[in-house]
Amino acid sequence: MNTNLSREVVFSDDAAMGRAGMSRRDFIKGIIATGASISAMGYVFGGCAGDMGSAPGAVERLISLNVNGRVRRVDVLPQETLAMTLRYKLGLTGTKLGCDRGECGACTVLVDDVAMYSCSTLTHRVRGRSVVTVEGLEGEDGALHPVQRAFIEELGPQCGFCTPGQVMSAVALLEINPNPTREEARIAMSGNLCRCGAYDNYLNSVMRAAKEAS
Amino acid sequence: MAYQLIGKNFTPPDVAAKVTGKAKYAEDFRAEGMVFCRLLLSTMPRARVRNIDVSEAMKMKGVVGILTADDVPEQNAPNNPILTNNPHYVGDPILAVAALDEQTAQDAIDKIAIDYEPLPFTLDPLESLYPGGTNAREDGNIRNRRSGSETIKWTAGDFVEKDVCPTGKPATEWSYGEVDQGFENAKLIVDESFVTANNPHHSMEPRSCMALWQNGKCFVYGATQSQSRPTRDLARLLDMDSEDLVYIAEYCGGGFGSKGTAYPVMAIPPLMSKKVGRPVMMRISRAEEYFIGSARHGFQGRIRIGFLGNGRISALDMYIIQENGAYRGGGDWTAAGDAVSLVYTPQAMRFRGIPVYTNTPIRGAQRGPGQNQIACVVEPLLDKAAEELGLDQLAVRRINAPDNDSKYGRRQGPVTSVYMREALDKGDEAFDWAGKKQKSRQKSGSKVIGVGIGQAYHAAGSNGYDGLVRLTPEGKLHIHSGVGNLGTFSHTATSRVAAEVLTCKWENCVIERGDSRRHLPWNHAQWGSNTSFTMTRTNYVAAMDAKNKLLEITAKDLGGSPDDYDLSDERVVHKTDKSKSLGFADAAKRAIELGGKYDGHEAPEDIHDMTKASVAGLAGTGLIGVAKDNLKREGVVPAMAVGFIEIELDLETGKYEILDYVGVAECGTVLHPQGLETQIKGGAVMGFGLAALERYVYDPQNGLPANMGLYQCKPPSYLDVPSEMKTEVVDIADPQNPVGAKGIGEPVQGCAAAALLCAISDALDGHYFNRMPVTTDHIVNAAAGREQSYKVLQVNTV
Amino acid sequence: MLRDMMANFELYQPTAIDHALNLMNRYGDDGWVLAGGQDSFDWFKDRAKKPRAVIDINGIDDLHGIRETADGIEIGALTTLTEIETSALIKEKYGVLADAARHVASPQIRNAGTIGGNVCQDTRCWYYRYGLDCYRAGGNTCYADTPEGIDREHCLFGADRCIAVSPSDTAPALVALDARMVVVNGDGEKEVQAEDFFIGPDVDIMRMTILQPGDLLKSIVIPNTWAGARFYFEKVAERNTWDFALVNIAAAMKVDNNAISDIRIACGGVACVPLRLTVVEEVVKGSPPNGASADLAASAATRGATPLNYNGFKIPLMESLVKRAIRES
Ligand SMILES: Cc1cc2nc3c(=O)[nH]c(=O)nc-3n(C[C@H](O)[C@H](O)[C@H](O)COP(=O)(O)OP(=O)(O)OC[C@H]3O[C@@H](n4cnc5c(N)ncnc54)[C@H](O)[C@@H]3O)c2cc1C
Ligand code: SF4
Ligand code: FES
Ligand code: FES
């Protein structure tokens, strides 16, 4: 047997532009200077400006995001995914990362009412659109969304890690189809993996939520 | 017995946080100044690291620290290392880099040059056992029973029989009864070689971890399915006092055995944090979870079973070669032998086995370790035998089913209780076995019906841990639980026993858990289906201790002896003179006044140090009930499960649909019906994956894994399992548990997996696959009468 | 080795085709067109592809939507798979395409993934995706086509150094519908038959389609010829969500007087391109769409198939799907 793999030098360095060169303090200072408001817990992922985005027509890093009905100015890298922006810049950790590859659905959020994998959506793509995460479902009085209530009553979650994503898919479904059949619900929910295998109870939850809303 | 709480549904206190996103898992914590760390994983299946050049990486702005194997405590071989200079599989962590941001950490890793000296490697236990075959490790090719390594090579002669699993010198061997005689008495002997695949746990939450140091204390936010156990074990890994470790694991996104206690990579964030002086977050990616997140052991093996004319098993002889991965691994192979001895009660049995290292990722217990693989091997063979003997599949299971007098394992010890026939009866009725069997093998176009029954077992209970409860002057009952939160809600279901004993209203109970600062007792890990049995006992003894103290205090104050009083509705009431009574809130105040053992200023001698520290921390805050579980336990505590299944298989495409599934649990008294139901169904889902989807695939030429991500590993989705399943329970109390409870989480997977395999075979006129999982391509080949593309004993392949 | 961490790139979000083409020209090989991103992000996160500039074309309105034209329909390249799956027009006239779209990946991927991206996506050969320097990645070896290569998902037909297969579910449907791909670049616009759009390793081992750097797929035109014909689509994958086809099949058939008067049939997962089964078409034309014709068609379909180490099952599977397509369209 041989290991004929020369994997070390596959990647050229020309793209290694603008490596992280900012401390957290620099970053925060930068934000303050531009009058931006982000949540207190902001984290940098990489690449300070450098020559990034300097070419004409490239995206502006400082953008407005409408998340859960609130518009905020956020500094967003070109390659940043929505999941990372939500979790690390806006402090919305209800959106989970199970795979970061479109293979599990834990990161599901609504973009203009459509269920999307936030791990596989660039934040720059949702500029000017409305993003809803699991944190945005509760009513102003703190009342749970009917889907959330049904998930509790039917004991949908087990470990709970896939649950926010499941809830979001259920909400998306009921928006467009308030009275789904169980089979329709099953198909609509099918982009959400549950390793605990709680599918049956989740479907019971969706059906209950539909029934109670009607 | 009529209970107020036990056997009733309730809303678990942690479920609302799960549906609102407020539940905090390890990766959800943040700390001021937090930096990120990433791992550099071996690209070689086996190598020695000759040199690591970090100069380019260290020059990068934003890089704050690097941790290599030389900087971390060494673990005794063959235990899993924290970091290593001798990688033993592709993906073995070599070093970690911390940087101000995660991308810089990864960019830095891309700039680190590792000079590897490649070493010979192996991916096949049989190849390693062959004379002159490669050893996956320097210290040998097998793990012996003392958890050391040694080298065992078989003779070329052992390998001569073609397509039959060789059975050379084992690492362990045991037997009971007259095995040869049993085979002589047999009317039919089935003799098969088999392979069961390795498969990764792939819990939904990758094992991310955040750590920081403050005033000499280390805070770790980890992903573990247990609480007290990993607190101790992580302190050991870090070589520190567990009192200086604050461990937070309030939520865990699935573990299935892989997060039972602290694991080596968990030590990296605390060690890195110490080194760089900042909080460190280590996010684990899905691919990394594949490499370090553990996997079920695959087996190669041979089994011979002798049947009498009535289907009774007269003799059973089994040999298991466990693929061990490159490190310590778990005890699946021996557990499989023990399981077979109980589930099928062979009149005589011999077990032999050997765990052999391969250069593949670390292994560990996965839901029903050993028991569930072997159920998938044996159950379809029962059907094969039944068919040849002209017997019904259910009848063969009934005649071999264990009961309360059955014996267990190599020592043929006792069991606490087993009601397997009752479980089969429940399933028979709910599923309508006789009716369904009529439909077996009926064809409609290219589709054909298959039916099957699967059975599985797990030892589901332990003892000797501590219970701790506290009644406060506000009249609240705080139940302190150090078990963990795997997602079964059993932390709460078992806590209700304390409320039951103390006649407390559920609204007045508070579960203290999830954070070592909450004064938690020493409890067992939340693994091995043991929680229901073990934790009901600890909560029972703690509550009984509190009860005795309540009675004593009342007798002191209101006269008479403690025996004159009893508990009722959160009061201590005189048995005959109901006017004499004391409320719990007042009793708690009195306990504080009395001090000593009553309010935790004194603690029992025999409790664990961790519990003692917790009691000391609570001293003076209320009436403390604390005790070690010294209740009697004689014998193994069996959890049994049975699954009945009907499928419709398309002979042209190899695809099937599960038309009906009934899962039956035999787990003593039911504590929480809704929770139990989710376990039976969720276990079945995972079982269908085990039987027919999930597996390791490696290229033997270069040791590379083909199936890392979820889309390649294929855990079942909504559309791969029935949208509705049925559940049944036997619900007969176990005599060795104060409320009659036993665990259940594991066998509910194995029975479903085995049932599905039986049904697939049934649909294919009884074709036995000798292999698990049975995937679409295997079915297509079998249905078309084509030879399979894999060799009979080939592992880590399609 | 998977890195799960994208490297830096410049991001452009042009709103007009011209603007996009300019950027694509400017960056050439260093540019990357981003549609739904559902294939692209894997490459970026693995750092197996590190473009300097990513040109996100979603802001270009002209590339969205389904239009009825005089001789059929035109589907903008950015039309999502969900839109295709739920389009009343497509369901009514070209059901096979709606069916194929419905079988892609998962609902969320279909909400983001575009038809353009679906037909342009790269192969799933795991060695290649792992980031190895194989032929397709510009190296000079194939890791799969080796004595012990793990090649269960690989091809039966058209091997030429590379044995990878076409992963797309919509591609066979488009071939069956005789679709045309509208490609624009700095020089103008051209239409290419779907069948010719997909290319094998014999033509270019590093690309799956004829698109060169600078080429943009603008839309897909489906002629009226097959509107409302009898259709068949089936995909066999191990899981019913997220899984790529082991084999899939799409057929469009016209029947007159119980005889197949015309048919187009294409199969995915068996070659580097969605394989049009012209022999099958010839064999069954004029015959009734029954079991006997189906059996004949099936054996014709796999003639010349060259199984590898582990993919022999694709022969009976492909035969079954061909049979079903003839029998059950
Ligand atoms: C977990 C998973 C499972 C999947 N399962 C399936 C499946 O079952 N069946 C299936 O068919 N696919 C499957 N896919 C692939 C996915 O559906 C397709 O990749 C998706 O449709 C691609 O569309 P997109 O718009 O997101 O592509 P992008 O990622 O945006 O683009 C893909 C490629 O096409 C190029 N491209 C896109 N649009 C144009 C254009 N207009 N002009 C020129 N070039 C263009 C891009 O440069 C890129 O190279 C799966 C993907 C994942 C992650
Ligand atoms: S089959 Fe093609 S893509 Fe796969 S390794 Fe070989 S050359 Fe590369
Ligand atoms: S984290 Fe986005 S799909 Fe898994
Ligand atoms: S509840 Fe654990 S993964 Fe779904």
Side-chain angles (χ1 to χ4, degrees), chain A residues 41-170:
Chain A
M41 286 303 175
Y43 293 87
V44 199
F45 305 114
C48 70
D51 59 351
M52 296 301 301
S54 57
V59 295
E60 294 286 337
R61 276 180 42 169
L62 203 58
I63 59 173
S64 293
L65 291 179
N66 177 345
V67 180
N68 298 333
R70 248 181 88 192
V71 178
R72 297 191 260 202
R73 298 282 288 166
V74 190
D75 180 76
V76 176
L77 296 171
Q79 74 274 29
E80 195 168 311
T81 61
L82 181 55
M84 291 303 271
T85 309
L86 293 172
R87 290 182 51 78
Y88 285 91
K89 292 202 173 144
L90 303 179
L92 297 171
T93 53
T95 299
K96 304 297 175 203
L97 280 167
C99 69
D100 203 12
R101 286 182 172 252
E103 299 169 14
C104 77
C107 64
T108 302
V109 300
L110 306 188
V111 178
D112 289 344
D113 292 338
V114 177
M116 293 282 192
Y117 291 148
S118 63
C119 74
S120 302
T121 304
L122 289 185
T123 309
H124 277 281
R125 273 286 293 284
V126 303
R127 229 176 25 221
R129 302 168 77 184
S130 134
V131 177
V132 178
T133 71
V134 70
E135 290 92 345
L137 293 181
E138 287 163 57
E140 298 206 334
D141 53 353
L144 296 184
H145 188 282
V147 165
Q148 291 173 313
R149 282 205 308 273
F151 270 57
I152 292 175
E153 277 152 18
E154 293 290 340
L155 199 66
Q158 289 188 31
C159 79
F161 199 76
C162 72
T163 309
Q166 305 273 0
V167 168
M168 297 317 287
S169 285

Side-chain angles (χ1 to χ4, degrees), chain B residues 447-471:
Chain B
K447 294 186 174 158
V448 54
I449 298 286
V451 295
I453 307 170
Q455 312 171 94
Y457 145 86
H458 190 83
S462 190
N463 61 308
Y465 294 86
D466 300 336
L468 176 59
V469 300
R470 179 170 61 116
L471 276 169

Side-chain angles (χ1 to χ4, degrees), chain A residues 11 13 19-20 45-46, chain B residues 36-41 57 60-63 95-112 283 285 288, chain C residues 1-8 44-47 50:
Chain A
F11 305 104
D13 266 338
R19 296 294 178 188
F45 305 114
Chain B
F36 291 84
C37 121
R38 303 260 316 152
L39 300 173
L40 185 152
L41 307 178
M60 290 176 57
K61 204 167 167 195
V63 173
L95 58 80
V97 174
L100 295 183
D101 64 86
E102 205 175 23
Q103 193 189 323
T104 300
Q106 184 59 53
D107 292 349
I109 281 176
D110 284 358
K111 284 190 185 283
I112 292 175
R283 291 198 326 125
S285 73
E288 287 165 339
Chain C
M1 183 64 59
L2 307 183
R3 284 169 169 74
D4 285 296
M5 183 64 50
M6 288 195 240
N8 286 338
F44 300 168
K45 286 173 182 168
D46 291 341
R47 301 191 170 192
K50 294 215 283 188

